[in-house]
Amino acid sequence: MSTLDQNEAIVTPMDEAAGPADTETVGKISIGQYLSDHIRTYGMLIALIVIMVFFTYMTDGTLMRPVNLTNLFLQNSYIIIMAVGMLLVIVAGHIDLSVGSVVGFIGGLSALLIVQWDWPVPLAVLVCLLTGLAIGAAQGYWVAYWKIPSFIVTLAGMLVFAGLTIWLLDGQSIGPFPRNFQLLSTGFVPDPFPFVAEALGLRRFNTLAFLIGLVLSVAIVALAIRARRRHAAFGTEDEPFSFFIGRNVLVVAGIMYVAWLLATFRGLPNVLITMGILIVIYTFLTNATTLGRRIYAIGGNEKAAKLSGIRTDRLTFLTFANMGMLSALAGLVFAARLNSATPGAGRGFELDVIAAVFIGGASMSGGVGTVVGAVVGAFIMGVMNNGMSILGIGIDWQQVIKGLVLLAAVIFDVYNKQKVA
Amino acid sequence: MHDDIILEMRGITKTFPGVKALDDVNLQVRRHEIHALCGENGAGKSTLMKVLSGVYPHGTYDGSILYDGEEMRFSSIRESEQQGIIIIHQELALVPILSIAENIFLGNEIAKRGVIDWHEMWKQTEVLLNRVGLKEKPQTRVDQIGVGKQQLVEIAKALSKDVKLLILDEPTAALQEKDAETLLKLMRELRDRGITCIMISHKLNEIAEVADNITVIRDGHTVSTMPSDRREVLENRIIRDMVGRDLNNRYPARASHIGETLLEVQDWSVRHPIQTDRTIINDVNLNVRAGEVVGIAGLMGSGRTELAMSIFGRSWGGGQTGNVLIDGKMADVSTVPRAIDAGLAYVTEDRKSLGLILDETIVKNTTLAALPKISRRGVLDDTRERHVAEDYRRQLRTRTPSVFQKAGNLSGGNQQKVVLAKWLFSDPKVLILDEPTRGIDVGAKFEIYNIINELAGQGRGVLMISSEMPELLGMCDRIYVMNEGRFVGELTREQASQERIMEAIINAEKVNNHVDA
């Protein structure tokens, strides 16, 4: 506080002449106006909802069946896990093309350790995660300290680890994994309160899943109210109250609906918990910590960040190391889901992950993007994959449509940015 | 009489969301004159020129543009260029790796069925270069000539498009004095050959020298239009109209209370980062005391910025030797974070590319260099951060609708205040200010000077690099003169004068030449 007090003395002779421009009084604005001002924030979320409604209608409700919804989470879990790490890499102004190959390589490594060498699963998981960390660190080293363009370094990594995967597996698939490893992906959290369902007379109802949905809803609403109060205290709140209510009602309704659907199937998939924890941690990291702020600063203007005392090299290095570790986690989840490691596993994943981050509003030049955006982006891709598969659309047209959606999302984003500027 | 007017902009009003950038602005420019457009940063000069040149197309503003007696409704720059209205921006729009000829004819290449006729292009380029008095080959790459000559290439490019009305935005801002003179002379020649010029400038002496008429804009309004006779009263009148009050003293007075030595640099030498056999900074010794404002004078390329950056965490160069003492103790300034911890701050001369994150808010830019002060165990305290940004906005009188405005949307002077806020929040003992008022208008300059005085008054040390000698003379307690990487003179406030600084530089040059020969 002391510096502030000292600096309080700095008042120029033309004291407080700035006048009315000082505090812009924000009048009441309509919901429509607010939405059009914040279209970049809500655009992709609205797109996701529209896409979900569309496919639910087209598939006669199959999309939102509990079993399909559960599958949707399982199918996209590894993409989302990587999208969270890729967001940091892209925000820092880089790219990582090697993540797909690392998924395959770590899958192969886990099969080798667990299936062939009979290592205990926890130890093997730990070794795999550390290997991923080392791979990311190795690539990050060249990018951060030698200023080799990340596109090149990770393109090399993509080739290297694709090759090493085939070498490691000797061109064969290895499987199956023991049951406790499969649980990493296909397991469900057991319901500690089976008596509740019995008491309610519901045949298949996972009370825990429903409860967690409830807790999550309460937490989100509580955080939203707190944020609104703080904004209001500072006079920077411009969200219409009705919009605030509507937004939160929609979010809560969405969460509770999903929780209900999951509860009436097999409950919470383990991997959903993993994902949820990662999303919370990384959202916190990017929004509320000095570390996150500095990563955004690097992407925004690396030279200015460096001259402001930020260790840009070290942070760039760390984002890549982190990406490597998350790729390894995704590799384990993917291997567990397939119940085998195959030489071609993970191929092309990097494109889905990168697409998810860009659909979620991140900027190619760095400095812009959110974790939640990347997750929404991943779900947009995931719902489209899933919906189109149910509709029996061939893989050929699926790719065409996904490509066009990526292009449209980025055009939408750039257009809105220009409109603001 | 009416025929004499080549351009008339009537009642131009342009609003951006939340801001009225131009409010009923009128501008009349006579044929064959140099018309100067003055105003503080953010007054609306550039916006007005963008309206004129079609960057903001017809329909996005109110009011009308009469050009050669006809109403113009430009929907793009291309259309205004077809009418002979050409704008040369402050940041030159040349492609560095292309030749002069290629740049001049970029987009209008002389070609037959898509195949470029190089000989014709070179021939025409030579004619154009002659007209602007530039003695370079058409094949020379643009990055191999200086900024002054690049400016001439831009003008040649405008001539190639058959320019009738040439708009120059801060044409001499980046130029050395000699190049600036050449440019002003050329402008006069162009005028005499029938080209009308509008020039946006902050340099009042230049305006007084070349302009025929002057229009002053303030806060989006036309304040006055005046002819440039009676030079002695002109500059003061322009200043008064620009800032809306009299500025009798351009440099606010400061009662110096000079204390202990805060910063001492001993035998400091630095080599070029790539050509490691070249010594760029040679055996420099300097000191800054508490409450003292110390200047470094010198020509461009004398090594002042390199010296400052090499002290500040070795941000420039390699192979540093020498000592840095802060508060009389040896300080570790080997990295930027260490230099900041040791109590140094460096306000860069290039705020857009080195000082700010233009896409981020004022809040985030303000706290960037001292994030630990607004966080606990690495978790940021938003509320506190906002209060910090708010406090500095008030103290430094940063003009902005809110602290959540992006830094890139601010005018130069306000951007500089954000950079200063960032470094004030890091609470340094010594601030190194590199060209702190470059590209900033008169009113904002005065405010920056006040801030500098306040800093000294708090007992901080200020080391100030500037190319504007009057500024150094007006602000500094002591001035070091630098030439070719060496300190060649030290003058107290009483000794210092423009002549003596130049004398020191010229004497040093003589010695150098002597040694070379």
Side-chain angles (χ1 to χ4, degrees):
Chain A
M1 219 43 218
S2 66
T3 28
L4 278 185
D5 296 338
Q6 264 179 40
N7 292 332
E8 205 70 53
I10 304 179
V11 175
T12 54
M14 289 153 283
D15 222 353
E16 303 302 320
D22 268 6
T23 43
E24 198 184 35
T25 41
V26 190
K28 285 200 172 176
I29 53 172
S30 70
I31 295 179
Q33 180 63 39
Y34 180 80
L35 197 60
S36 99
D37 288 350
H38 292 75
I39 193 74
R40 286 187 75 203
T41 319
Y42 295 114
M44 284 303 129
L45 195 59
I46 294 168
L48 176 62
I49 293 170
V50 168
I51 289 170
M52 287 181 83
V53 170
F54 173 76
F55 279 110
T56 307
Y57 175 74
M58 290 302 288
T59 58
D60 293 328
T62 309
L63 186 85
M64 293 307 277
R65 286 239 189 88
V67 52
N68 190 55
L69 192 76
T70 306
N71 262 331
L72 197 65
F73 282 123
L74 297 183
Q75 275 169 6
N76 291 294
S77 52
Y78 38 90
I79 299 293
I80 290 171
I81 290 170
M82 286 189 283
V84 167
M86 188 66 80
L87 176 91
L88 290 183
V89 172
I90 287 175
V91 161
H94 294 284
I95 196 106
D96 191 340
L97 298 174
S98 71
V99 295
S101 296
V102 175
V103 163
F105 181 73
I106 296 295
L109 182 65
S110 67
L112 196 71
L113 296 179
I114 297 169
V115 180
Q116 296 204 328
W117 295 359
D118 276 332
W119 282 31
V121 169
L123 181 65
V125 166
L126 186 69
V127 168
C128 285
L129 290 178
L130 290 177
T131 307
L133 191 73
I135 291 171
Q139 299 191 88
Y141 171 75
W142 296 110
V143 176
Y145 297 105
W146 287 74
K147 313 288 176 219
I148 314 284
S150 55
F151 191 95
I152 306 295
V153 172
T154 59
L155 184 63
M158 177 177 163
L159 294 169
V160 166
F161 292 104
L164 286 179
T165 309
I166 300 171
W167 167 77
L168 200 64
L169 293 171
D170 208 9
Q172 310 284 315
S173 291
I174 299 180
F177 284 99
R179 179 82 194 121
N180 59 343
F181 182 73
Q182 290 177 42
L183 288 179
L184 207 58
S185 168
T186 52
F188 290 84
V189 183
D191 187 3
F193 320 106
F195 48 86
V196 177
E198 276 165 31
L200 289 172
L202 295 165
R203 196 169 55 83
R204 209 182 195 190
F205 187 78
N206 186 304
T207 314
L208 181 72
F210 193 75
L211 269 182
I212 287 189
L214 209 59
V215 169
L216 199 62
S217 299
V218 170
I220 286 177
V221 170
L223 284 175
I225 291 174
R226 182 163 154 260
R228 190 177 169 86
R229 280 219 183 113
R230 285 165 76 183
H231 285 202
F234 208 73
T236 54
E237 185 56 72
D238 62 342
E239 189 183 24
F241 187 64
S242 49
F243 187 90
F244 173 77
I245 295 290
R247 177 169 66 96
N248 280 292
V249 165
L250 271 180
V251 168
V252 168
I255 289 172
M256 290 318 293
Y257 182 52
V258 169
W260 174 262
L261 291 175
L262 290 175
T264 53
F265 183 56
R266 292 175 61 187
L268 289 173
N270 289 338
V271 68
L272 188 64
I273 303 280
T274 316
M275 258 162 56
I277 292 173
L278 285 177
I279 292 170
V280 169
I281 291 176
Y282 282 88
T283 302
F284 180 75
L285 185 92
T286 49
N287 284 342
T289 66
T290 52
L291 187 70
R293 177 67 63 79
R294 286 172 175 155
I295 292 172
Y296 279 85
I298 294 174
N301 184 344
E302 185 173 357
K303 288 177 189 161
K306 205 178 171 88
L307 277 179
S308 298
I310 291 171
R311 296 184 177 94
T312 54
D313 301 351
R314 184 193 287 184
L315 283 178
T316 305
F317 174 77
L318 285 179
T319 57
F320 275 92
N322 174 66
M323 182 76 251
M325 194 186 66
L326 289 176
S327 305
L329 179 60
L332 293 172
V333 169
F334 188 64
R337 183 172 150 71
L338 284 189
N339 199 12
S340 76
T342 60
R347 198 153 292 172
F349 281 8
E350 61 279 351
L351 301 178
D352 280 342
V353 173
I354 292 167
V357 174
F358 285 130
I359 288 176
S363 154
M364 191 81 208
S365 53
V368 179
T370 61
V371 169
V372 173
V375 172
V376 169
F379 271 117
I380 286 180
M381 296 292 271
V383 170
M384 287 194 353
N385 277 335
N386 184 279
M388 289 191 290
S389 297
I390 297 172
L391 288 176
I393 296 172
I395 193 80
D396 43 0
W397 287 106
Q398 286 198 20
Q399 296 220 11
V400 172
I401 292 169
K402 271 158 55 184
L404 292 176
V405 166
L406 170 63
L407 184 64
V410 176
I411 291 171
F412 174 81
D413 204 46
V414 171
Y415 169 75
N416 278 303
K417 207 171 172 182
Q418 283 172 350
K419 204 173 66 179
V420 174
Chain B
M1 182 66 205
H2 189 75
D3 280 350
D4 271 330
I5 306 292
I6 184 168
L7 172 77
E8 186 171 4
M9 299 181 79
R10 271 192 212 151
I12 305 289
T13 300
K14 166 85 189 162
T15 39
F16 295 106
V19 194
K20 211 170 202 178
L22 295 176
D23 189 4
D24 194 24
V25 170
N26 297 298
L27 176 68
Q28 273 196 353
V29 180
R30 285 162 194 251
R31 202 179 298 277
H32 311 329
E33 72 160 345
I34 295 176
H35 195 105
L37 199 56
C38 303
E40 297 197 9
N41 286 332
K45 298 161 302 195
S46 298
T47 311
L48 188 66
M49 289 304 106
K50 282 179 181 169
V51 166
L52 173 58
S53 59
V55 174
Y56 300 131
H58 180 80
T60 61
Y61 58 88
D62 295 325
S64 56
I65 300 172
L66 289 168
Y67 176 67
D68 258 347
E70 278 176 56
E71 184 169 356
M72 294 289 147
R73 297 179 171 188
F74 300 127
S75 59
S76 69
I77 300 183
R78 221 180 161 79
E79 285 181 24
S80 65
E81 285 195 351
Q82 275 164 4
Q83 296 292 331
I85 301 176
I86 291 177
I87 183 161
I88 297 178
H89 293 280
Q90 195 175 346
E91 283 95 17
L92 299 179
L94 298 173
V95 185
I97 60 158
L98 293 182
S99 69
I100 293 176
E102 284 169 302
N103 266 293
I104 288 180
F105 288 100
L106 195 63
N108 296 308
E109 291 84 357
I110 301 169
K112 280 192 195 104
R113 293 198 202 97
V115 180
I116 293 178
D117 184 346
W118 288 103
H119 286 281
E120 182 61 25
M121 237 164 77
W122 289 333
K123 219 167 77 191
Q124 293 198 19
T125 302
E126 263 169 26
V127 175
L128 291 166
L129 292 183
N130 262 332
R131 282 180 69 188
V132 299
L134 179 58
K135 291 182 190 68
E136 289 286 343
K137 283 189 186 151
Q139 295 87 342
T140 308
R141 266 170 54 161
V142 160
D143 56 4
Q144 284 164 358
I145 59 177
V147 192
K149 289 180 174 175
Q150 289 182 7
Q151 189 74 262
L152 297 179
V153 172
E154 278 273 19
I155 293 175
K157 186 175 171 182
L159 292 178
S160 80
K161 291 175 184 166
D162 203 12
V163 60
K164 293 194 187 74
L165 176 60
L166 182 65
I167 304 162
L168 296 138
D169 190 354
E170 297 277 355
T172 60
L175 301 191
Q176 306 249 20
E177 209 146 312
K178 223 177 131 199
D179 288 338
E181 266 167 35
T182 315
L183 185 75
L184 296 177
K185 204 170 127 231
L186 176 64
M187 282 176 68
R188 260 176 269 154
E189 280 171 28
L190 292 175
R191 171 190 61 190
D192 297 341
R193 276 189 265 153
I195 292 170
T196 312
C197 289
I198 297 178
M199 129 188 208
I200 298 177
S201 181
H202 285 131
K203 298 192 180 165
L204 301 181
N205 53 344
E206 279 177 6
I207 293 170
E209 200 175 311
V210 300
D212 300 300
N213 282 293
I214 295 138
T215 295
V216 181
I217 296 181
R218 186 174 74 227
D219 298 335
H221 299 271
T222 320
V223 182
S224 58
T225 297
M226 60 194 123
S228 70
D229 45 2
R230 300 190 59 209
R231 250 190 97 160
E232 58 283 8
V233 293
L234 187 70
E235 290 192 23
N236 284 336
R237 167 130 192 247
I238 296 175
I239 292 174
R240 197 189 61 209
D241 287 348
M242 275 169 65
V243 299
R245 73 202 139 72
D246 281 306
L247 257 188
N248 290 326
N249 195 345
R250 278 190 229 171
Y251 305 101
R254 171 183 71 249
S256 295
H257 299 287
I258 294 173
E260 298 290 302
T261 302
L262 286 180
L263 170 70
E264 189 161 6
V265 176
Q266 297 172 334
D267 310 326
W268 192 251
S269 294
V270 183
R271 288 166 187 275
H272 192 279
I274 297 156
Q275 298 151 312
T276 48
D277 53 335
R278 278 179 62 198
T279 304
I280 300 297
I281 305 298
N282 211 332
D283 209 16
V284 163
N285 287 283
L286 71 85
N287 64 74
V288 181
R289 286 169 290 175
E292 192 181 31
V293 179
V294 177
I296 304 180
L299 302 174
M300 282 208 197
S302 58
R304 294 168 301 170
T305 296
E306 290 79 0
L307 169 66
M309 289 184 76
S310 69
I311 295 171
F312 187 66
R314 296 189 187 162
S315 303
W316 190 90
Q320 283 87 348
T321 56
N323 300 323
V324 174
L325 283 77
I326 289 171
D327 276 339
K329 288 189 282 281
M330 288 282 273
D332 180 3
V333 293
S334 58
T335 67
V336 176
R338 284 177 194 162
I340 294 173
D341 285 344
L344 290 183
Y346 171 66
V347 176
T348 163
E349 61 174 337
D350 186 353
R351 57 181 167 267
K352 280 190 178 164
S353 64
L354 300 179
L356 290 168
I357 301 174
L358 295 173
D359 268 343
E360 284 289 10
T361 58
I362 294 173
V363 177
K364 290 185 181 176
N365 273 293
T366 302
T367 56
L368 193 62
L371 286 175
K373 289 176 83 174
I374 50 145
S375 58
R376 203 180 301 157
R377 290 199 203 98
V379 179
L380 298 166
D381 180 347
D382 295 8
T383 315
R384 184 143 155 56
E385 183 177 32
R386 282 176 194 174
H387 282 298
V388 168
E390 253 326 299
D391 282 346
Y392 282 110
R393 182 190 67 76
R394 259 196 312 273
Q395 286 167 28
L396 306 184
R397 296 199 343 96
T398 312
R399 255 168 258 161
T400 170
S402 100
V403 287
F404 294 98
Q405 191 67 240
K406 283 183 180 173
N409 294 344
L410 302 176
S411 65
N414 287 313
Q415 285 183 347
Q416 186 70 322
K417 289 180 188 172
V418 176
V419 178
L420 281 168
K422 172 170 81 176
W423 289 113
L424 291 182
F425 186 49
S426 79
D427 193 20
K429 295 190 177 98
V430 178
L431 283 103
I432 307 173
L433 309 178
D434 196 350
E435 303 283 1
T437 65
R438 172 178 289 176
I440 293 178
D441 55 71
V442 181
K445 271 183 183 174
F446 190 79
E447 294 180 44
I448 301 283
Y449 298 143
N450 269 314
I451 296 169
I452 293 173
N453 282 350
E454 283 291 345
L455 292 173
Q458 292 165 8
R460 299 177 206 266
V462 176
L463 185 62
M464 176 170 165
I465 296 170
S466 176
S467 294
E468 286 184 44
M469 275 193 232
E471 177 174 282
L472 289 178
L473 296 170
M475 290 298 298
C476 296
D477 297 303
R478 204 149 49 88
I479 298 173
Y480 291 107
V481 184
M482 193 166 186
N483 188 52
E484 300 197 359
R486 293 170 195 274
F487 275 8
V488 295
E490 181 181 351
L491 302 164
T492 63
R493 186 178 203 118
E494 292 71 33
Q495 297 166 331
S497 69
Q498 224 150 324
E499 291 74 24
R500 293 190 72 154
I501 292 174
M502 281 319 292
E503 214 177 271
I505 293 173
I506 290 163
N507 285 339
E509 293 275 344
K510 273 186 201 154
V511 173
N512 279 347
N513 291 339
H514 192 71
V515 172
D516 287 347

